[in-house]
Amino acid sequence: MMTRKIAIWLMLTVGWAAVAAAQDGRHQVQSRYDLFFLDAICQQEKGNLDAAFDLLRHCVEIDSTRSEAYYYLAKYYAHLKKKDAALVYSRKAVALDPDNATYLETLANAYIGRRQYAEAIPLLERLYDKNRDRDDVLGFLVQLYEEQEDYDNAIRILSKLETIEGKSERLSFAKSDFYTRKGDKRAAIAEMKTLADQYPSDLNYQCYYANTLYKNGQKSKALAIYDRVLKEQPDNRTALLAMLSHYDQLKDSIQAARYTERVLLSNDATTQDRIAVMRQVIGGSELSGGDSTEVLRLFHTILDSKHADADMALFCAGYMDLKKMPTDSISRVLEQALRLEPDNAAVRYQLVSYAWQAEDKDRVIALCQDARQYNPEEMAFYYYQGIAYYQQKKLDDALNAFQNGIGVITQQSDPAIVSDFYAVMGDIMHQKGMDREAFAAYDSCLQWKDDNIGCLNNYAYYLSERGIRLDEAEQMSFRTIKAEPKNATYLDTYAWILFMQKRYSEAKIYIDQTLQCDSDSSAVMLEHAGDIYYCAGDTDQAVRLWSQALERFAADTEMTPEHRQVLTRKIKLKKYLKE
């Protein structure tokens, strides 16, 4: 019979073996997990995201008690826009490793993204408890408590920030505001009084204290402080703005007007203050009938003072435009703005616009020339200068402006403007007999905007004039008549290209449409029509159309004396002649 000692020894031996076997099995699971997890991270680094995703899911299957795979899977699900799955996996990661700051912050951000602030708050509280150097977490907590209208906790967190940073204007304002919102007027006032007492020589803090008194019903006491401050510092912007607001609320127009002017001429007021006050003046003026007299007086008071600046001048010009005042009056204000700030592109651009409307091309050119000194990166000024020169038939100057403008084109430039740049350059180069360069410019134009209809028409027509690439020209021209089927110029181009391809019957259909869409057809269109009719077999109609073209010769700038001779011979011989 087995002795008791032997039995005990056998039991212990079996127990130790079981424990050892369990530990060995656990070790194998951990090793497999680590192997697959490391492979997943390597695949991720290589950019093989699908493979990494599958490996991470296998990690979870191997060992569901490890947090890392859950965390990375949460990120993948978030990237796949599967927010619910991302949240589930992020929660699991935090549950398995509740002290991991990264997991806490990720889960908190997920809740914030879903506007589940109540769930995010305790996570951020835990995060800060574990990372006392994360002041930014306290800032987030203040915002979240404010969203929850939990002002007591918002104040508690602000007090923590004060312990770290020391008392400050920003924190005191925030605490006082929260006290006011929760109805604790006494605490709100006390908070700002403490700040004011901390900086007794800074009158602005006295004004902030007064603002809080005013907001919390102690208006007389607040007004007394404002009055005392303004006696000592007449230009104090905080006190002046507060007094203006007070008299506006009382609808005391006389005192409000007095303080309005004081703010506008205050040395302490900023441009933003003055613009805000003028917005208020304009709003009141519009509500009471829209009389611009007083508004303009105040604008000119500022603009005639040492406080004049380009922003205020531009604001004044905008108001004058709203009131439909003459553009020459508005331009004078803009000119002042430009003198104050020569590199203000917005002001200069508005002046260019007015000069363009007035068809004052010399003024456009001068403004744009100066802009090339002060705003060399602004492509629009090169464009308008080039167009102005082009309309004055100064082709070399126009081409120079456009070529200089190309140098400031970037990938962020407006494709429509860049496309027009190249289109007009192509037109100029064609007129100068530089067809190879012109066609290259048209190609660039269409790279920026492949549906630039004007470019497509001109490119197609000039190709047909040379009798080259006619199939390509026909395709380009067809796009223009699809876009604008009633445009006589585009129809004429298409008809002429068909003519050049010897597709006379089709050409006749489109030249008829051309003449129908343009009752006052140009000499060129009428001559084209005559050529097409002749080759289509109708000589009599061709001669009639050539005769009409000759009658309109004098008014058509495209017709040269040599051209007239050819046209005259066509009529005389009743025969189509190539030029």
Side-chain angles (χ1 to χ4, degrees):
M1 181 179 292
M2 184 183 296
T3 66
R4 189 169 182 273
K5 287 184 177 180
I6 293 172
I8 292 172
W9 179 81
L10 286 171
M11 287 174 62
L12 290 172
T13 301
V14 171
W16 289 335
V19 169
Q23 288 178 340
D24 185 57
R26 180 63 186 161
H27 179 71
Q28 288 181 11
V29 168
Q30 290 177 343
S31 296
R32 287 185 66 220
Y33 177 95
D34 291 340
L35 183 64
F36 279 98
F37 182 76
L38 180 59
D39 193 13
I41 299 304
C42 289
Q43 292 298 328
Q44 179 177 284
E45 290 298 315
K46 292 176 181 177
N48 301 328
L49 302 185
D50 289 343
F53 181 68
D54 289 338
L55 287 165
L56 288 168
R57 289 197 299 177
H58 190 51
C59 287
V60 170
E61 292 171 359
I62 294 170
D63 189 348
S64 62
T65 66
R66 300 279 293 274
S67 62
E68 303 90 353
Y70 286 104
Y71 168 70
Y72 279 97
L73 282 169
K75 293 176 69 174
Y76 274 99
Y77 281 119
H79 180 71
L80 294 169
K81 308 299 183 186
K82 294 183 178 181
K83 294 183 180 180
D84 291 340
L87 188 62
V88 169
Y89 279 82
S90 192
R91 279 177 183 159
K92 186 68 175 176
V94 170
L96 291 168
D97 190 356
D99 293 329
N100 188 301
T102 301
Y103 297 174
L104 287 170
E105 188 167 5
T106 300
L107 182 55
N109 286 332
Y111 279 129
I112 291 169
R114 298 163 70 96
R115 303 185 69 83
Q116 293 178 237
Y117 303 135
E119 288 80 2
I121 286 171
L123 294 167
L124 291 176
E125 291 274 14
R126 283 165 57 191
L127 179 62
Y128 179 71
D129 286 341
K130 296 181 182 303
N131 296 272
R132 293 297 178 124
D133 58 340
R134 290 290 302 274
D135 299 352
D136 59 312
V137 174
L138 294 180
F140 278 122
L141 280 167
V142 172
Q143 294 177 41
L144 296 182
Y145 280 127
E146 182 179 7
E147 285 285 343
Q148 298 292 96
E149 297 184 2
D150 185 348
Y151 301 126
D152 287 330
N153 272 313
I155 292 166
R156 174 178 63 82
I157 298 299
L158 286 170
S159 296
K160 282 188 179 183
L161 279 168
E162 274 188 334
T163 302
I164 298 166
E165 301 175 5
K167 201 163 189 64
S168 70
E169 177 182 322
R170 175 178 64 87
L171 296 176
S172 293
F173 278 177
K175 286 177 71 175
S176 179
D177 182 53
F178 287 141
Y179 280 126
T180 298
R181 291 199 225 176
K182 71 190 288 278
D184 192 344
K185 297 181 179 181
R186 181 175 296 178
I189 292 169
E191 182 67 35
M192 294 308 295
K193 187 175 188 310
T194 302
L195 182 67
D197 290 345
Q198 188 173 337
Y199 302 99
S201 61
D202 191 329
L203 296 181
N204 282 321
Y205 287 107
Q206 295 296 318
C207 290
Y208 301 149
Y209 170 47
N211 288 348
T212 308
L213 288 167
Y214 193 97
K215 190 191 305 183
N216 286 280
Q218 297 188 31
K219 293 186 178 180
S220 297
K221 193 172 180 180
L223 292 170
I225 294 173
Y226 295 140
D227 186 56
R228 186 168 66 250
V229 168
L230 288 172
K231 284 179 181 175
E232 188 173 340
Q233 199 176 80
D235 277 346
N236 187 287
R237 64 179 287 275
T238 309
L240 288 172
L241 289 168
M243 293 298 284
L244 173 56
S245 175
H246 170 67
Y247 286 116
D248 275 336
Q249 289 180 38
L250 292 180
K251 300 194 183 305
D252 185 337
S253 58
I254 294 175
Q255 288 293 343
R258 174 171 164 251
Y259 277 98
T260 292
E261 198 148 343
R262 285 188 68 178
V263 170
L264 294 175
L265 297 177
S266 166
N267 291 324
D268 290 352
T270 65
T271 296
Q272 290 71 30
D273 292 333
R274 296 185 181 92
I275 288 177
V277 168
M278 287 306 301
R279 287 189 194 283
Q280 194 172 344
V281 169
I282 291 169
S285 172
E286 293 302 305
L287 286 173
S288 61
D291 184 0
S292 62
T293 306
E294 177 60 14
V295 177
L296 289 173
R297 186 190 73 79
L298 288 172
F299 267 126
H300 288 300
T301 297
I302 303 166
L303 294 176
D304 290 341
S305 75
K306 63 182 179 180
H307 304 299
D309 63 22
D311 288 340
M312 186 59 72
L314 195 57
F315 186 28
C316 176
Y319 175 73
M320 294 171 74
D321 184 59
L322 178 70
K323 303 305 286 185
K324 310 296 184 189
M325 299 189 71
T327 56
D328 57 341
S329 299
I330 302 173
S331 293
R332 282 194 292 273
V333 175
L334 292 172
E335 292 282 4
Q336 181 181 359
L338 209 55
R339 288 194 296 274
L340 291 165
E341 195 175 311
D343 61 346
N344 191 310
V347 171
R348 192 177 298 277
Y349 189 80
Q350 189 61 55
L351 282 168
V352 169
S353 175
Y354 284 140
W356 192 268
Q357 291 173 28
E359 298 186 358
D360 187 347
K361 300 300 185 296
D362 288 335
R363 180 66 179 141
V364 169
I365 290 167
L367 285 164
C368 291
Q369 187 62 38
D370 288 342
R372 290 170 61 172
Q373 175 185 350
Y374 291 106
N375 311 104
E377 74 289 348
E378 292 291 337
M379 186 175 60
F381 294 118
Y382 298 92
Y383 177 77
Y384 284 106
Q385 186 182 40
I387 292 292
Y389 275 131
Y390 184 49
Q391 293 185 352
Q392 290 183 336
K393 309 297 184 186
K394 297 177 179 178
L395 300 186
D396 290 335
D397 291 329
L399 189 57
N400 176 268
F402 283 116
Q403 288 174 329
N404 278 284
I406 287 173
V408 303
I409 292 173
T410 68
Q411 289 301 316
Q412 287 70 48
S413 298
D414 184 340
I417 294 180
V418 178
S419 178
D420 283 344
F421 247 78
Y422 283 110
V424 181
M425 280 180 60
D427 294 343
I428 295 169
M429 289 168 170
H430 174 74
Q431 290 184 39
K432 289 173 65 66
M434 303 162 60
D435 279 353
R436 184 173 59 82
E437 293 86 350
F439 296 156
Y442 290 143
D443 286 331
S444 296
C445 164
L446 297 175
Q447 285 178 1
W448 280 88
K449 191 171 184 292
D450 66 359
D451 61 347
N452 187 315
I453 302 301
C455 173
L456 287 168
N457 176 76
N458 290 355
Y459 196 178
Y461 185 68
Y462 297 147
L463 287 172
S464 72
E465 278 190 325
R466 294 189 59 183
I468 61 174
R469 296 161 56 189
L470 292 178
D471 290 343
E472 186 181 344
E474 188 267 336
Q475 292 172 12
M476 287 192 286
S477 183
F478 185 71
R479 291 181 65 188
T480 70
I481 63 171
K482 287 286 287 184
E484 296 185 28
K486 300 294 184 182
N487 187 305
T489 298
Y490 299 165
L491 287 165
D492 174 64
T493 297
Y494 190 62
W496 186 248
I497 293 170
L498 293 174
F499 172 82
M500 293 296 292
Q501 292 179 315
K502 300 184 179 180
R503 294 159 63 180
Y504 302 127
S505 297
E506 294 174 76
K508 184 173 176 294
I509 293 170
Y510 284 99
I511 201 65
D512 285 344
Q513 291 182 37
T514 302
L515 300 179
Q516 289 171 10
C517 291
D518 188 354
S519 57
D520 189 27
S521 301
S522 68
V524 171
M525 288 181 183
L526 289 167
E527 185 180 11
H528 283 170
D531 294 347
I532 291 168
Y533 265 87
Y534 179 85
C535 291
D538 191 340
T539 303
D540 291 341
Q541 179 63 6
V543 172
R544 281 192 289 271
L545 289 164
W546 288 332
S547 299
Q548 291 175 36
L550 189 60
E551 291 173 6
R552 297 189 185 177
F553 173 87
D556 196 324
T557 56
E558 294 184 48
M559 302 285 276
T560 63
E562 294 78 9
H563 202 154
R564 179 171 186 167
Q565 292 176 5
V566 173
L567 185 56
T568 302
R569 290 185 62 207
K570 287 180 182 179
I571 297 167
K572 183 176 181 180
L573 298 173
K574 295 184 180 183
K575 182 180 179 180
Y576 167 67
L577 300 171
K578 284 188 178 182
E579 297 180 33

